[in-house]
Amino acid sequence: MLLTITYRGADAPDLGYLLHKNPEWPQTLDINFGKAHVFYPEVQQHCCTAALLLDIDPLDLTRGKEGSKGGGSKNLGLFDYVNDRPYVCSSFMSTAISKVYGTAMSGRCEKRQALADTALDLCTKLTMLPCRGDSSWLERVFGPLGYRTEFTTETLDEAYPEWGQSRYVNLSLRGTVRLRDLLRHLYVLIPVFDSRKHYWIGDAEVDKLISHGEGWLENHPDKEFITRRYFNKLTRYTRLALDRLDNGEGGAEETTEEPVVAEFFSISIPEFATDAAEPFVPLNTRRLTAVLSALKESGAQSVIDLGCGEGNLLQLLLKEKSFLKIAGTDVSASVLERTTEKLKIDRLSETQKSRLTLFQSSITYRDKRFAGYDAAAAVEVIEHLDENRLGAFAAVIFGEAAPRTIVITTVNREYNQNYPGLVNGRFRHGDHRFEWTREEFRAWAEKTAARYGYDLRLEEIGDRDEQFGAPTQMGVFIKCS
């Protein structure tokens, strides 16, 4: 996934000042879906090119982030692992532009402010831009903004010309434009050509669209098409944004904070505060707090986090001196690498390091390393397993590892009725293989507890709907004495 920006003019290397990236120092920045590399393949007096290259791990995307949500279907398993996300210019690139070039997007440049305010001869090239539908939309979208558009595509397979052309294009845009405007155009318009957004679509995205579209989108002849595709045809947000554009409302204050990565399908799942006068506490924070409380209540001195992700629960466990032995395991090695970075293990004291163990493993296969802990936690993990593998999970964790206490949280499917984006049975995350009602979770939990000799306590986490319950359900299993 590659984006290049070329500036042709006197003192062209000053492009580095405008982008706040030194041409002499290649940089690598961590983004929560991978890494972004910034380098300059060409630096000459009258021509300078900056490149932004994204390196994305599709397996990490499938795992998602702790507390992330998304839509999808249990039938999308193959797409989760075999997909075009690491290669195409998609919403991930928009996120990277905001993260890496955020200051340039704001138009601020202390050392070359006059240049930042000047329309420059700029050419940008996007590799592998998905162009679903008619490629004439490339000109219709970018042409009114003053760009000369050129693109190339390839035959899907020369041996089978009847298959036609690829749906991906290599796009070149050239125009005389301020750098800040170019970046804002790209931020908004790249997702227009790709339907698989990886971030939440909600009211905050309306603010972002209005902010980055200020000064050009409200006058674009195809603003309705752009807005509708930006919001992936979600009518509520499309209408809200168009009303604000028509009324000349400005956007929210510019931010370089990157969106939370969720998955490949955009939906809206708002979090609800219990009372407008109380501070808002995200559902994931409440979930982790409830799990931590159950673990502390159990009196456990050693805990293993099954499917630990990037270590959000591990962070909390490390702060509690009562837990003398802590372990985290995950099926993804690259996720564990990020866990190591997030926990700053290299900076921990020797005492803290001695308490913590991380290892790669699958919770549906026997592993003697799972044993020897007083308690185990699986936070929003079981729904990522195929339902026919739950028996293996129970046999491994309840039967062989058999800790005194097991805490499991999972989605309450009934509560999805409160999420406007979850229609027609869509799941909260693209990697969910199932989502249970309260009765379904109770039935599985009671059956599992009885089979392996555990007492069971069920709890609900999050704001409770009178009809549909709370968004998260938790089972606390305690070994019968």
Side-chain angles (χ1 to χ4, degrees), residues 14 64 105 107 149 190 197 208 288 312 385 392 437 442 466 469:
D14 283 353
M105 288 180 72
T149 61
I190 287 175
K197 313 295 187 297
K208 291 178 184 178
L288 293 174
N312 290 337
L385 305 175
T437 65
R442 175 184 292 276
E466 184 174 344

Side-chain angles (χ1 to χ4, degrees), residues 87-137:
Y87 313 108
V88 302
C89 195
S90 63
S91 60
F92 288 107
M93 180 61 80
S94 291
T95 299
I97 290 172
S98 177
K99 179 73 174 180
V100 177
Y101 295 146
T103 306
M105 288 180 72
S106 71
R108 300 192 303 271
C109 184
E110 181 178 346
K111 295 185 177 180
R112 296 291 188 277
Q113 188 60 54
L115 190 64
D117 296 334
T118 301
L120 308 174
D121 181 5
L122 298 176
C123 177
T124 187
K125 294 183 178 181
L126 305 170
T127 62
M128 298 292 286
L129 179 71
C131 190
R132 52 196 174 104
D134 193 343
S135 58
S136 66
W137 277 107

Side-chain angles (χ1 to χ4, degrees), residues 183-224:
L183 294 174
R184 290 180 175 183
H185 295 160
L186 295 175
Y187 178 92
V188 171
L189 297 177
I190 287 175
V192 167
F193 290 92
D194 184 45
S195 62
R196 299 188 179 106
K197 313 295 187 297
H198 74 277
Y199 49 76
W200 297 130
I201 290 183
D203 291 339
E205 280 305 311
V206 177
D207 289 336
K208 291 178 184 178
L209 177 65
I210 300 301
S211 175
H212 295 305
E214 187 175 6
W216 63 272
L217 182 55
E218 64 268 25
N219 299 317
H220 197 290
D222 283 303
K223 69 177 180 182
E224 292 187 10

Side-chain angles (χ1 to χ4, degrees), residues 213-420:
E214 187 175 6
W216 63 272
L217 182 55
E218 64 268 25
N219 299 317
H220 197 290
D222 283 303
K223 69 177 180 182
E224 292 187 10
F225 169 82
I226 292 170
T227 304
R228 186 173 69 254
R229 294 278 283 261
Y230 180 88
F231 290 112
N232 205 23
K233 301 181 181 180
L234 292 176
T235 304
R236 175 179 180 271
Y237 299 106
T238 300
R239 185 184 301 116
L240 180 60
L242 287 173
D243 287 345
R244 291 180 59 179
L245 287 169
D246 290 340
N247 292 329
E249 291 186 32
E253 184 176 352
E254 176 62 29
T255 176
T256 60
E257 180 182 359
E258 66 182 290
V260 174
V261 173
E263 43 81 57
F264 305 134
F265 302 87
S266 58
I267 60 174
S268 170
I269 304 183
E271 300 274 15
F272 300 101
T274 56
D275 189 308
E278 297 179 2
F280 169 67
V281 180
L283 175 59
N284 188 50
T285 300
R286 299 166 74 172
R287 181 188 300 124
L288 293 174
T289 300
V291 172
L292 180 64
S293 177
L295 293 172
K296 292 170 65 176
E297 181 183 330
S298 74
Q301 293 185 322
S302 57
V303 179
I304 182 169
D305 185 4
L306 305 168
C308 64
E310 293 194 346
N312 290 337
L313 178 59
L314 294 175
Q315 275 189 323
L316 298 179
L317 295 174
L318 282 169
K319 294 177 182 179
E320 299 292 335
K321 295 181 180 180
S322 60
F323 300 120
L324 305 180
K325 181 182 176 184
I326 302 167
T329 181
D330 200 279
V331 73
S332 171
S334 55
V335 165
L336 288 175
E337 289 178 3
R338 291 209 298 271
T339 305
T340 300
E341 295 174 1
K342 182 172 184 176
L343 297 178
K344 297 181 174 61
I345 291 180
D346 57 332
R347 302 181 189 177
L348 294 178
S349 66
E350 291 303 318
T351 301
Q352 288 283 70
K353 287 181 182 179
S354 67
R355 296 171 64 204
L356 179 64
T357 301
L358 297 177
F359 62 94
Q360 181 185 9
S361 190
S362 169
I363 57 177
T364 59
Y365 292 92
R366 294 176 179 175
D367 192 327
K368 61 183 180 181
R369 293 174 293 180
F370 293 154
Y373 295 90
D374 298 332
V379 182
E380 306 297 283
V381 170
I382 62 170
E383 61 268 25
H384 292 268
L385 305 175
D386 290 324
E387 280 193 85
N388 62 8
R389 299 296 294 161
L390 289 176
F393 164 76
V396 168
I397 304 305
F398 288 84
E400 296 196 14
R404 210 166 53 235
T405 301
I406 301 174
V407 181
I408 295 177
T409 73
T410 190
V411 171
N412 170 19
R413 189 181 75 202
E414 297 167 79
Y415 194 84
N416 292 354
Q417 297 294 325
N418 289 305
Y419 298 143

Side-chain angles (χ1 to χ4, degrees), residues 73-89:
S73 162
K74 66 168 67 177
N75 298 320
L76 291 174
L78 180 61
F79 178 82
D80 290 339
Y81 292 94
V82 183
N83 57 71
D84 60 3
R85 296 299 91 185
Y87 313 108
V88 302
C89 195

